[in-house]
Amino acid sequence: MIECAAYAVTQTRGRKYLEASPAGRSEFQRDRDRIIHSGAFRRLEYKTQVFVNHEGDLFRTRLTHSIEVAQIARSIARRLHLNEDLAEAISLAHDLGHTPFGHAGQDALNACMKDYGGFEHNLQSLRVVELLEERYAAFDGLNLCFETREGILKHCSAANAANLGELGERFLQGRSPSLEAQIANLADAIAYNNHDVDDGLRSGLITLEQLSKVPLVDLHLQEVNKIYPGLPERRAVHETVRRMINTLVTDLLRQSESNIAKQNPASVEDVRKAPKLILFSAEVNELQRELKKFLLDNLYRHYRVMRMSAKAQRIIHDLFGAFIDDRRLLPPQFQSSEGASEHARTVADYIAGMTDRYAIREHRRIFAVEEIPVSL
Ligand code: MG
């Protein structure tokens, strides 16, 4: 491993439950390994962001997305002499709390939970690693290091922060997270903006001609067309997207290196007191804003995506309503005898843990009257 800078996270503040230090690997490598071996991580394979899992085998899933985020974050962390293992662990865990059906699912579950404290995927990711994974004899969750959990919680309202103890403090005090956490956060944006371009084109919902009006795409597409005239479209798309990722990563490195040099932090504590240092340049921020706007108007709000989202929301609403009305419809381990609010949270945990296809099947099992179930 390359030697870390003075402002890198090299030690942990510790875990909630005391454990002996791992032999042969670092604390953050152990966190990464625990995340990869968790059940929630495996379920990411069948959860999606824009396209529902059964729409095509070549689209990104949350699993491949998380791996892409980890790859980008590690490259940046290594170059900035930060803790690559921590950036990787945060990246791999960042989407563990996502509901089925991406943002449509999260919005629906949040609406269902409005009288019970709401639902937020970012907080749910934390809940997965702190409570919901049941793998260890001595504790609930994965007992990850403070810095990994801190990085997973990238945003949080003041009301929620007040209930989160030391993890919530930075939101109340306006402090920054570690540079490794800041990297994972922006690596997420680099990954999804670019793969949504790729998947959007593959789906046929957006075209290269439309995209060529977006400056960040046009810049690189023109270059590709100049070097490789007549290149088949799939290859031209890939050559363009890889150049886009490279531009974003290179810009992020340049701007962040300059910010770090100016701020000159001597420790992790200095990083926490400073404003965010891992940033894109203003110019590249603007290019990304235009790309995001294009994707929102033309892909995320495409009528075929909206149609699928509406169906997804109905599935979540129906399931939630059924489980709230009759606890006996739930698998035994979710049938609590607790009050309404605790029960609603248990239902939200159950639904959030579902994959796209499991939610569709469960809906069919409960609501479909036209077919005789072949399995119970
Ligand atoms: Mg993500």
Side-chain angles (χ1 to χ4, degrees):
M1 193 166 134
I2 295 169
E3 204 177 320
C4 282
Y7 42 80
V9 173
T10 48
Q11 289 193 337
T12 177
R13 263 193 220 180
R15 301 172 189 271
K16 191 168 164 197
Y17 303 95
L18 200 62
E19 291 186 72
S21 294
R25 54 183 174 163
S26 74
E27 296 281 4
F28 300 111
Q29 285 172 335
R30 172 153 76 178
D31 279 6
R32 174 205 55 206
D33 299 347
R34 287 183 175 187
I35 292 159
I36 288 177
H37 288 266
S38 70
F41 187 73
R42 280 194 298 281
R43 287 200 294 269
L44 293 177
E45 184 177 358
Y46 301 103
K47 291 190 183 200
T48 44
Q49 215 154 305
V50 181
F51 301 95
V52 173
N53 192 251
H54 62 259
E55 290 181 297
D57 291 347
L58 284 174
F59 295 125
R60 263 67 171 192
T61 66
R62 286 212 181 267
L63 179 64
T64 60
H65 162 70
S66 300
I67 295 169
E68 289 183 22
V69 174
Q71 178 273 315
I72 293 170
R74 284 184 60 175
S75 299
I76 297 169
R78 177 180 292 218
R79 166 72 184 269
L80 296 178
H81 301 284
L82 294 164
N83 191 324
E84 218 177 306
D85 299 323
L86 174 58
E88 182 183 23
I90 296 169
S91 303
L92 292 174
H94 86 283
D95 269 354
L96 290 178
H98 259 288
T99 60
F101 313 126
H103 289 285
Q106 124 112 20
D107 291 348
L109 196 50
N110 187 30
C112 293
M113 287 293 289
K114 82 174 186 319
D115 295 334
Y116 312 105
F119 178 89
E120 213 275 303
H121 68 84
N122 196 213
L123 277 174
Q124 190 70 11
S125 295
L126 198 61
R127 205 170 149 77
V128 167
V129 302
E130 290 192 335
L131 194 67
L132 299 179
E133 281 290 321
E134 295 178 332
R135 307 178 65 77
Y136 298 92
F139 46 78
D140 287 333
L142 305 177
N143 198 31
L144 302 180
C145 294
F146 169 84
E147 294 74 12
T148 309
R149 294 183 296 122
E150 174 203 44
I152 292 172
L153 191 65
K154 65 181 168 196
H155 41 76
C156 183
S157 67
N160 284 330
N163 298 322
L164 287 171
E166 60 173 358
L167 273 191
E169 275 169 23
R170 80 175 166 88
F171 297 98
L172 301 172
Q173 296 165 357
R175 283 156 61 95
S176 296
S178 69
L179 295 179
E180 288 82 353
Q182 295 180 39
I183 287 173
N185 188 12
L186 293 183
D188 184 25
I190 294 176
Y192 69 68
N193 281 322
N194 287 285
H195 65 50
D196 286 354
V197 166
D198 189 24
D199 284 355
L201 286 166
R202 191 186 303 279
S203 70
L205 299 185
I206 53 176
T207 65
L208 206 50
E209 197 193 328
Q210 279 178 301
L211 262 168
S212 65
K213 296 191 179 72
V214 180
L216 182 63
V217 179
D218 188 48
L219 189 74
H220 298 99
L221 183 60
Q222 278 198 34
E223 186 186 290
V224 171
N225 284 335
K226 210 162 118 194
I227 308 173
Y228 305 105
L231 195 67
E233 184 167 308
R234 277 295 339 146
R235 284 184 195 239
V237 169
H238 179 66
E239 285 287 345
T240 303
V241 170
R242 77 184 187 90
R243 282 171 169 76
M244 284 163 54
I245 295 176
N246 189 50
T247 294
L248 297 177
V249 170
T250 309
D251 179 79
L252 186 72
L253 284 171
R254 196 182 306 125
Q255 186 64 49
S256 305
E257 273 170 341
S258 149
N259 294 345
I260 291 169
K262 255 184 235 151
Q263 187 73 32
N264 197 19
S267 64
V268 180
E269 184 53 25
D270 282 357
V271 166
R272 295 182 185 284
K273 281 190 271 187
K276 294 219 169 78
L277 300 176
I278 305 295
L279 296 169
F280 294 106
S281 67
E283 186 196 351
V284 161
N285 260 335
E286 177 58 19
L287 287 172
Q288 288 204 96
R289 197 191 59 75
E290 287 163 323
L291 173 62
K292 272 185 189 152
K293 177 153 185 357
F294 173 88
L295 289 171
L296 182 66
D297 292 344
N298 298 282
L299 182 62
Y300 310 145
R301 289 188 185 151
H302 191 286
Y303 85 96
R304 279 170 54 197
V305 173
M306 296 302 290
R307 201 167 59 185
M308 193 63 227
S309 297
K311 202 192 291 186
Q313 296 207 335
R314 208 154 41 240
I315 291 173
I316 301 282
H317 275 288
D318 288 350
L319 288 177
F320 187 84
F323 295 140
I324 289 293
D325 288 349
D326 189 347
R327 298 180 187 205
R328 294 168 305 175
L329 299 181
L330 285 157
Q333 67 271 33
F334 293 99
Q335 288 183 18
S336 68
S337 53
E338 293 170 317
S341 185
E342 290 84 358
H343 174 60
R345 185 59 60 191
T346 304
V347 170
D349 287 339
Y350 179 46
I351 293 177
M354 292 179 183
T355 60
D356 297 356
R357 62 185 188 178
Y358 185 90
I360 292 169
R361 273 189 215 145
E362 185 77 342
H363 189 269
R364 217 176 275 152
R365 280 194 287 257
I366 294 177
F367 291 98
V369 287
E370 70 274 17
E371 62 178 55
I372 298 165
V374 284
S375 70
L376 293 174

